[in-house]
Amino acid sequence: DVDATHICRALAEHRTVQKIDLSHNNIRFRGAVEIAAMISSNSEMLEVDLSWNQFTTAGSLAILNTNTGLGANNTIKIFKMAWNGVDDTGAEVLARSVGGSVLEEVDISHNRITDKGAESFAKYLRTSGTSSAIVSLNLNDNPLKDTGCASILEALRGNKSLTHLSLLQTGCGKKALEAASQTLRV
């Protein structure tokens, strides 16, 4: 976390960096807090990859926060936070953070998001309609079940921006497939 702190503080002052990849660095809570500060202060950043770290729930929430983390940045278009233990609370905070953002691609695969977290994204997709910038949402390998998958798929009816949804290795079954069938008929 000490290294992440130094990197983030330097990047907060060096505002020309547009892409940062801090994946696979074993960053924990303290580093996550510094990442949140760096993300919120860098108005040139377009892409952030934080996959494969160990943020825990508290660290994830710091990064996804609507006031001091991702939600405070209106330039990031690609955000990856796979393999970090993001849970339903993190999914809900992320869904709130993307409202009004320019995020186009979100990868939160291989986390701990269940039907409750999927419903948070479904609510965002339903209410954003055509104003959403998100074109790609990756929820692969989260412990979703039919209900969560179906709520995401049903939300696509009114959403015209999402063109890539990945639900591989989730618990999507018959109910979700029926929802997809209904959505595709519209």
Side-chain angles (χ1 to χ4, degrees):
D1 277 3
V2 172
D3 293 337
T5 298
H6 293 301
I7 291 169
C8 290
R9 288 183 182 171
L11 288 172
E13 295 174 17
H14 186 48
R15 299 182 194 268
T16 59
V17 174
Q18 294 184 344
K19 179 180 178 181
I20 185 162
D21 186 342
L22 291 174
S23 63
H24 296 83
N25 276 296
N26 200 28
I27 301 170
R28 297 174 188 268
F29 175 73
R30 197 171 310 160
V33 171
E34 294 294 335
I35 288 169
M38 181 260 307
I39 287 173
S40 66
S41 69
N42 190 321
S43 60
E44 298 297 320
M45 194 164 295
L46 301 174
E47 183 175 346
V48 177
D49 188 347
L50 302 173
S51 302
W52 286 90
N53 283 293
Q54 296 183 9
F55 296 130
T56 70
T57 299
S60 296
L61 293 177
I63 292 168
L64 301 172
N65 190 293
T66 54
N67 298 317
T68 58
L70 182 64
N73 183 299
N74 62 0
T75 60
I76 295 174
K77 293 180 183 265
I78 299 171
F79 183 73
K80 299 176 183 178
M81 200 162 160
W83 295 95
N84 272 301
V86 176
D87 60 10
D88 291 333
T89 304
E92 182 180 342
V93 171
L94 178 58
R96 277 185 291 172
S97 293
V98 298
S101 75
V102 296
L103 273 173
E104 295 175 358
E105 180 182 325
V106 176
D107 180 352
I108 48 172
S109 62
H110 302 275
N111 280 296
R112 296 179 298 156
I113 300 167
T114 67
D115 290 348
K116 182 179 177 186
E119 180 54 43
S120 296
F121 270 99
K123 181 179 178 184
Y124 164 74
L125 292 169
R126 275 192 301 274
T127 59
S128 65
T130 57
S131 66
S132 171
I134 294 182
V135 295
S136 177
L137 177 60
N138 185 345
L139 289 165
N140 289 351
D141 208 14
N142 276 289
L144 303 176
K145 301 294 180 223
D146 266 346
T147 304
C149 293
S151 65
I152 292 272
L153 293 166
E154 289 166 0
L156 294 180
R157 283 191 188 137
N159 183 286
K160 303 299 181 202
S161 63
L162 191 69
T163 59
H164 180 254
L165 173 64
S166 191
L167 296 168
L168 295 172
Q169 295 185 357
T170 60
C172 296
K174 184 178 179 183
K175 183 178 177 185
L177 293 174
E178 289 171 359
S181 175
Q182 291 297 319
T183 298
L184 294 173
R185 285 189 195 136
V186 172

